[in-house]
Structures are given as C-alpha cells and as structure tokens.
C-alpha cells in the first residue's frame, strides 16, 4: 500500500519533517524511493530539467501523464503527485475536473498539484469533491513567470504578505491536503505553517515549514543552467 495523504498529514501532527522530491523517470523515481522519500512530485520543472526549456510553460498534460506513468510504474510505496501544467485547469472548473481525472486515471498518480490561491479555491474544492486529493501551491508560481516578470521572491511587502496568508487559508478551506510555499520570506512561511492545520512544504521558504521539496536534478548537481540559492548540492 502506498503512503496516503492522511499519512502525510499525520507527519505534521507528529512533527516529523516531510520530504518531497521531484521524479520524472525510472531512475530518479527508484533512487528517491530507495532513499525513503515519502512523496514524489512529477513536476512541470520537467520542462527545464528534462526538455531544456527556460520556463515550464510549454509542458502539456500529455507530457506529465507520460512521465508520471513511468514514476508510478517503478514505485510502490511513495505517494506520487502529478503536476497540473499551464492552462490545463484555468479555463473552467469543468476543464480542471476533466484534466485532473485524466491525470489520475491515465498515469496512476494518487494526487495532483495546482498553482493558485483564493482565486483557485472553487476549482480545488470541486476536484477534491470528485475524490482527487490536491496539494496547493502559492508564493512564486512558475506558471505565472511571465506575469510576475521572473522567478522572484513573493510576499515581501505587507500587502502581498497578507494576500498570501489569505491564499493559504483559502486553499486549506477548499480541501487541499497540503500546500507548497515557494520563494516566500521565512518569517511569513513560519506564520502560515503555524496557522494552517495542513502541512506546508517549502522551497526557498526557510526552515520552518513542515516539509521541504527540491528538484532531483538540483540537489544532485545535474542541472547547471541555474542553481537556486535554496538548493544544497549533495553531489
Ligand atoms: O514543478 C515542480 O517541480 C514544482 C516544485 C519545484 C515545487 O512545482
């Protein structure tokens, strides 16, 4: 039996740090699972580290399904999360439901991830209602890189920090089982982590989140085009 979303939530209750790594192929998935990583994300970062793009925008649902199918095929313990790519859930709630259903049925992932806060709450709620666990993603949302003008830290001033607090609350209330906080000040990430009962998974969000997510290629020094400041390279 694979690790469940309930197991991940219990880790927060037990104050056990949650580790999440990206995986896109048989090798990254097998190595990470063998190392005991409980949650694998087939992220749209595959656009950069696998496909060679500068941004995740060109990644399609079919690409994610293809890579996620490999990851679920070669693992049997980790909770595998599939990333909903750019424009696969923005058009309407119906579009999000259809595509989330495809991702789960065709790739075998047990949960999906979507970027967005308050404005995505209804979509998250309907997808969760359909029986598909959702992990939210706020702060720096790489699918909005053109809108925000680059991969920048979010929530540095009072107004944007307050909006992120509202976003986190809305994502939790919509039924997400956990939330990724990307590139937000450590103090704000700590505040959100204290206020939410669902686990926060940080990336560039300080050490006080309930868990951390990293890109497989970054921590192994396999991606040299850009090394994020929050990444520790182990090889
Ligand atoms: O696509 C991805 O890999 C992600 C993580 C970096 C959080 O969204």
């Amino acid at each position: 039996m694979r690790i469940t979303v309930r197991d991940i939530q219990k880790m927060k209750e037990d104050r056990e740090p949650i580790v999440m790594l990206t995986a896109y192929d048989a090798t990254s998935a097998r190595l990470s699972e063998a190392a005991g990583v409980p949650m694998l994300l087939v992220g749209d970062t595959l656009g950069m580290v696998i496909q060679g793009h500068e941004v995740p925008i060109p990644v399609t649902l079919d690409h994610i399904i293809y890579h996620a199918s490999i990851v679920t095929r070669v693992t049997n313990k980790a909770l595998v999360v599939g990333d909903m790519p750019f424009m696969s859930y923005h058009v309407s709630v119906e579009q999000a439901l259809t595509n989330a259903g495809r991702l789960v049925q065709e790739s075998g992932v047990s949960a999906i991830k979507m970027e967005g806060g308050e404005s995505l709450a209804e979509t998250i709620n309907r997808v969760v209602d359909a029986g598909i666990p959702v992990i939210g993603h706020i702060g720096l949302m790489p699918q909005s890189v053109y809108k925000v003008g680059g991969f920048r830290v979010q929530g540095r001033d009072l107004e944007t920090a307050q909006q992120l607090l509202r976003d986190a609350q809305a994502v939790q209330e919509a039924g997400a089982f956990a939330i990724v906080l990307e590139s937000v000040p450590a103090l704000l990430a700590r505040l959100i982590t204290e206020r939410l009962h669902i686990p926060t998974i940080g990336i560039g969000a300080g050490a006080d989140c309930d868990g951390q997510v990293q890109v497989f290629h970054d921590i192994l020094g396999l991606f040299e085009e850009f090394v994020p400041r929050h990444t520790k390279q182990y090889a």
Side-chain angles (χ1 to χ4, degrees):
M1 174 76 181
R2 284 185 188 271
I3 288 166
T4 66
V5 297
R6 180 70 201 112
D7 296 326
I8 299 295
Q9 291 186 313
K10 189 158 181 307
M11 289 171 85
K12 173 164 182 148
E13 288 158 28
D14 296 346
R15 295 177 175 272
E16 193 184 332
I18 302 165
V19 179
M20 188 185 204
L21 262 188
T22 64
Y24 318 98
D25 60 11
T27 303
S28 55
R30 283 194 178 115
L31 283 171
S32 299
E33 189 170 72
V37 175
M39 193 158 46
L40 299 177
L41 171 65
V42 185
D44 62 4
T45 39
L46 72 84
M48 284 87 102
V49 299
I50 303 289
Q51 298 175 334
H53 297 295
E54 288 186 350
V55 291
I57 308 297
V59 176
T60 67
L61 186 63
D62 285 338
H63 296 156
I64 297 282
I65 290 173
Y66 172 81
H67 287 277
S69 307
I70 298 169
V71 172
T72 59
R73 187 178 310 136
V74 301
T75 57
N76 56 26
K77 192 157 183 2
L79 172 68
V80 182
V81 179
D83 216 359
M84 292 281 279
F86 180 63
M87 289 312 289
S88 67
Y89 54 100
H90 302 88
V91 176
S92 64
V93 170
E94 286 67 29
Q95 182 216 25
L97 279 167
T98 305
N99 286 334
R102 268 199 69 200
L103 181 48
V104 170
Q105 282 191 308
E106 295 179 30
S107 74
V109 299
S110 328
I112 64 157
K113 179 169 82 60
M114 293 190 280
E115 295 181 4
E118 268 186 327
S119 60
L120 195 71
E122 191 198 342
T123 303
I124 294 174
N125 186 255
R126 291 281 299 280
V127 171
V128 173
D129 252 12
I132 300 174
V134 172
I135 177 163
H137 183 154
I138 63 168
L140 170 61
M141 297 183 285
Q143 291 171 14
S144 302
V145 62
Y146 293 147
K147 186 173 107 183
V148 297
F151 295 95
R152 304 165 178 281
V153 176
Q154 303 293 306
R156 274 201 159 128
D157 57 71
L158 186 62
E159 199 184 320
T160 53
Q162 283 175 335
Q163 181 59 51
L164 281 172
L165 272 168
R166 285 195 294 274
D167 286 336
Q169 201 71 44
V171 167
Q172 170 173 278
E173 277 163 23
F177 75 93
I179 184 165
V180 169
L181 306 179
E182 178 162 356
S183 295
V184 302
L187 211 57
L188 177 60
R190 189 165 88 193
L191 191 61
I192 295 173
T193 302
E194 285 167 1
R195 287 205 183 165
L196 296 190
H197 60 75
I198 60 172
T200 59
I201 314 289
I203 175 163
D208 294 323
C209 295
D210 299 303
Q212 298 288 332
V213 55
Q214 285 286 321
V215 171
F216 181 86
H217 293 61
D218 287 344
I219 62 165
L220 292 181
L222 295 171
F223 187 69
E224 294 183 333
E225 279 66 16
F226 173 70
V227 182
R229 278 186 29 216
H230 52 72
T231 292
K232 180 172 172 189
Q233 286 189 325
Y234 292 87

